[in-house]
């Protein structure tokens, strides 16, 4: 990633705002910087204009559509962006379950705690209360469990417990009439990654099926989606995001909310790994998919985040 003098580029971008928007400069200044550098640009902008004026509202006026959404997302630190996306998913017209699932199933305990703190500070209400008010049933219970940030994050594998967990899940699903989703929640939302990978191996031996296939057979709707997301993230998080990106762009139309959220949120975390998994799974590069599925400044800024 290139490094430039933050103050200089803040002044350049300010000049563009004063004489009319130069989207190319905005894209170059923001998409090629780290999150830390973008925060410094925001502060330098305030110093340049000589008063407490946020750069966000000005960009809000100058830019439109999906390009605006990407740029405003880039100006937020990670927990604030996740909190913003969750708030939008909950308080918009209808609940966007995909956002709740993508974020809560993939973040670490520390990341979830940071998100909940920012959410309370920004909105004056707890994220848990808002999710409870906007979702229902077992899907709600899984999301609330994830929000507690109580997953064991050690690397310890208890072999005896792994076998028992696999049996418990099997007996709660494939081996009985109906499904005891609480058993799935108890195991999938609490155990550590290495332990669960052993559980999945044992489950295959006991049931003759992959755990993902059983979830698809036993559940439906948002509950199926969230349990599948948990399993996929535990197995290979970059592959999970690669699949989400692929599905957001394949076929007619693009689910821009998913595309934007992942490209912004993962740009500095695991985008290289996501691109590798994307090419491996779909035989085409993520760059080529974005290039063929978007246009204009929106395409330019997404491709900057993607890289070659």
């Amino acid at each position: 990633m290139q490094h430039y003098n933050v103050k200089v580029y803040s002044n350049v971008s300010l000049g563009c705002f004063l004489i009319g928007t130069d989207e190319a400069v905005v894209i170059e200044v923001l998409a090629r910087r780290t999150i830390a550098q973008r925060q410094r640009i925001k502060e330098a902008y305030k110093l340049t204009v000589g008063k407490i004026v946020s750069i966000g509202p000005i960009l809000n006026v100058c830019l439109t559509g999906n390009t605006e959404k990407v740029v405003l997302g880039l100006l937020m630190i990670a927990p604030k962006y996740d909190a913003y996306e969750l708030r939008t998913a909950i308080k918009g017209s209808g609940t966007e379950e995909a956002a709740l699932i993508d974020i809560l199933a993939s973040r670490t305990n520390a990341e979830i705690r940071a998100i909940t703190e920012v959410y309370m500070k920004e909105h004056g209400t707890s994220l848990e209360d808002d999710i409870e008010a906007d979702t229902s049933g077992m899907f709600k219970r899984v999301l609330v469990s994830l929000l507690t940030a109580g997953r064991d994050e050690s690397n310890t594998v208890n072999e005896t417990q792994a076998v028992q967990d696999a049996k418990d899940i099997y007996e709660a699903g494939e081996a009985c009439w109906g499904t005891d989703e609480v058993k799935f929640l108890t195991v999938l939302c609490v155990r550590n990654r290495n332990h669960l990978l052993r559980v999945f191996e044992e489950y295959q031996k006991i049931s003759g099926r992959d755990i993902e296939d059983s979830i698809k057979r036993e559940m439906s709707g948002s509950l199926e989606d969230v349990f599948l997301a948990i399993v996929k993230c535990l197995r290979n998080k970059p592959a999970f995001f690669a699949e989400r990106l692929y599905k957001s762009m394949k076929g007619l139309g693009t689910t821009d909310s998913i595309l934007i959220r992942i490209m912004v949120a993962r740009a500095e975390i695991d985008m290289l790994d996501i691109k590798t998994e994307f090419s491996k799974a779909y035989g085409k590069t993520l760059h080529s998919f974005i290039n063929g599925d978007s246009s204009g400044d929106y395409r330019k800024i997404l491709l900057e985040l993607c890289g070659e």
Side-chain angles (χ1 to χ4, degrees):
M1 183 171 289
Q2 300 181 59
H3 297 277
Y4 299 91
N5 182 281
V6 171
K7 186 174 181 180
V8 169
Y9 269 77
S10 182
N11 287 331
V12 169
S13 59
L14 173 63
C16 295
F17 301 145
L18 294 175
I19 64 175
T21 308
D22 185 336
E23 289 86 354
V25 171
V26 173
I27 291 169
E28 180 179 358
V29 170
L30 296 181
R32 297 182 181 180
R33 303 299 180 276
T34 65
I35 292 174
Q37 288 174 323
R38 288 193 288 269
Q39 300 314 300
R40 289 164 59 200
I41 287 172
K42 288 167 65 177
E43 292 305 312
Y45 177 80
K46 290 180 183 180
L47 291 174
T48 299
V49 299
K51 56 182 178 180
I52 304 301
V53 177
S54 174
I55 196 172
I58 292 178
L59 287 170
N60 204 14
V61 172
C62 296
L63 301 172
T64 59
N66 289 325
T67 305
E68 173 196 348
K69 293 175 183 176
V70 176
V71 168
L72 294 180
L74 290 174
L75 288 170
M76 301 180 199
I77 59 174
K80 185 170 183 177
Y81 181 64
D82 282 343
Y84 168 80
E85 284 291 295
L86 291 168
R87 179 73 173 184
T88 302
I90 296 167
K91 297 300 181 181
S93 55
T95 306
E96 188 196 346
E97 288 85 358
L100 305 181
I101 293 168
D102 285 354
I103 294 171
L104 297 180
S106 65
R107 301 315 192 247
T108 65
N109 288 346
E111 288 168 340
I112 289 175
R113 284 192 289 267
I115 292 166
T116 57
E117 289 173 9
V118 169
Y119 191 96
M120 174 62 81
K121 182 178 179 181
E122 293 285 321
H123 306 295
T125 183
S126 80
L127 178 55
E128 181 177 331
D129 287 346
D130 283 351
I131 285 179
E132 284 190 332
D134 211 59
T135 57
S136 61
M138 185 55 62
F139 178 56
K140 174 174 71 176
R141 292 178 66 177
V142 174
L143 295 180
V144 170
S145 178
L146 293 172
L147 272 174
T148 64
R151 182 183 297 284
D152 172 19
E153 291 186 327
S154 72
N155 295 316
T156 304
V157 177
N158 183 322
E159 293 291 340
T160 302
Q161 187 64 58
V163 172
Q164 186 61 53
D165 285 341
K167 288 179 179 177
D168 287 347
I169 293 176
Y170 176 64
E171 291 171 359
E174 294 280 0
C176 71
W177 180 263
T179 305
D180 181 0
E181 294 97 346
V182 174
K183 287 289 187 182
F184 282 81
L185 183 158
T186 302
V187 175
L188 295 180
C189 295
V190 176
R191 307 286 193 255
N192 71 59
R193 178 177 182 270
N194 286 350
H195 180 89
L196 282 169
L197 294 180
R198 281 291 296 121
V199 171
F200 301 157
E201 291 175 1
E202 289 299 323
Y203 184 87
Q204 178 83 46
K205 294 177 184 177
I206 295 168
S207 68
R209 297 183 189 278
D210 183 80
I211 185 66
E212 292 182 32
D213 293 333
S214 288
I215 289 172
K216 292 174 185 176
R217 283 165 55 88
E218 296 295 319
M219 300 172 197
S220 61
S222 297
L223 184 61
E224 174 190 341
D225 292 340
V226 71
F227 276 134
L228 283 175
I230 291 169
V231 171
K232 290 176 180 180
C233 285
L234 288 165
R235 283 177 158 170
N236 187 333
K237 196 177 294 184
F240 167 74
F241 285 118
E243 180 185 11
R244 298 292 289 139
L245 287 169
Y246 174 75
K247 288 182 175 179
S248 76
M249 292 183 282
K250 75 168 186 176
L252 296 175
T254 303
T255 309
D256 293 296
S257 60
I258 295 174
L259 176 59
I260 292 169
R261 180 169 57 250
I262 295 174
M263 294 303 296
V264 170
R266 310 309 295 186
E268 291 181 42
I269 299 174
D270 51 6
M271 187 56 67
L272 288 175
D273 294 329
I274 290 170
K275 290 193 295 183
T276 298
E277 295 295 337
F278 193 98
S279 297
K280 187 189 305 182
Y282 306 111
K284 296 182 71 174
T285 66
L286 177 58
H287 188 281
S288 68
F289 248 74
I290 293 172
N291 191 53
D293 210 64
S294 54
S295 61
D297 293 317
Y298 178 45
R299 174 167 59 193
K300 290 177 185 176
I301 197 164
L302 289 179
L303 291 179
E304 286 286 355
L305 294 175
C306 176
E308 291 295 338

